[in-house]
Amino acid sequence: MTGVHPAGAAREAAARLAAEVPDGATVLVSGFGEPGTPFLLLDALAGHGGRDLTVVKNDANEPGIGVGRLLDEGRIRRLVSTHIGLNRDAMAAWNEGRIEVEIHPQGLLAERIRCGGAGLPAFLADLDPELLPETPEPRETVVWRGRTYTVEPALRADVALIHAAAADRYGNLRYHATARNFAPAMALA
């Protein structure tokens, strides 16, 4: 019998997909730490994908794996996340000015992604603007019913890299336990 081993076929398919990610793309990456992180796709992107990427992920993984691999290959220009503290390489790249980093409270990041998938342009957040992270553009505020809100823009991307336990030909995904995390919202955005 001849044929390709399933793992080899998966790596080849991931490499073909990664090669289509253009320079400057915004890439949503599912996962919360290791659960739900699409390591095979990230490895392929590190080896074959675009450069100057904006990567949106809950965290920066650890050095050398996942998003850390993209950092090692110099593919990330900007990282949008909730924390990067477990990845000393990401911290060093940020401190040395090799990448831009935008840190958000986790709920705010999740809602920006959800709004992007729902087709909404933005949402109103009742968080103190001084407690929110700096953003490339100044935050707008509005007063509604006597309260001041920040206008938080929806987050959309060119590509979403999603880890799922199974998929059908229609694009429906099934997740295992906590690997679901950000994946459904990211798949829509």
Side-chain angles (χ1 to χ4, degrees):
M1 258 167 82
T2 62
V4 177
H5 188 276
R11 278 192 294 278
E12 288 176 20
R16 280 194 309 274
L17 290 171
E20 293 181 23
V21 175
D23 290 350
T26 297
V27 181
L28 297 172
V29 180
S30 69
F32 190 114
E34 288 193 24
T37 298
F39 291 109
L40 180 67
L41 293 171
L42 289 168
D43 286 348
L45 187 58
H48 304 286
R51 296 196 174 276
D52 296 320
L53 302 174
T54 294
V55 173
V56 180
K57 187 176 186 298
N58 178 66
D59 58 272
N61 292 114
E62 294 177 32
I65 64 168
V67 171
R69 234 356 258 291
L70 295 177
L71 283 166
D72 291 347
E73 297 295 324
R75 298 204 180 263
I76 296 177
R77 177 184 52 80
R78 185 167 164 247
L79 180 61
V80 180
S81 188
T82 65
H83 73 92
I84 63 171
L86 295 178
N87 189 328
R88 67 182 174 277
D89 296 343
M91 294 292 290
W94 184 20
N95 289 331
E96 294 165 9
R98 289 183 281 130
I99 63 169
E100 300 168 32
V101 175
E102 191 177 312
I103 301 288
H104 289 280
Q106 191 173 66
L108 190 73
L109 181 64
E111 185 62 8
R112 287 184 68 196
I113 295 165
R114 188 202 67 79
C115 284
L120 301 172
F123 69 97
L124 302 180
D126 64 350
L127 301 171
D128 183 345
E130 291 185 21
L131 299 176
L132 294 173
E134 290 184 28
T135 56
E137 299 173 12
R139 280 193 160 74
E140 292 180 52
T141 59
V142 297
V143 176
W144 187 59
R145 295 187 179 178
R147 292 185 63 186
T148 301
Y149 296 90
T150 61
V151 178
E152 292 296 325
L155 239 170
R156 292 182 185 87
D158 302 300
V159 177
L161 303 180
I162 306 294
H163 172 82
D168 66 22
R169 66 172 143 179
Y170 304 107
N172 297 305
L173 303 175
R174 189 174 67 227
Y175 307 98
H176 178 72
T178 60
R180 183 172 196 250
N181 54 61
F182 284 82
M186 286 183 166
L188 292 172

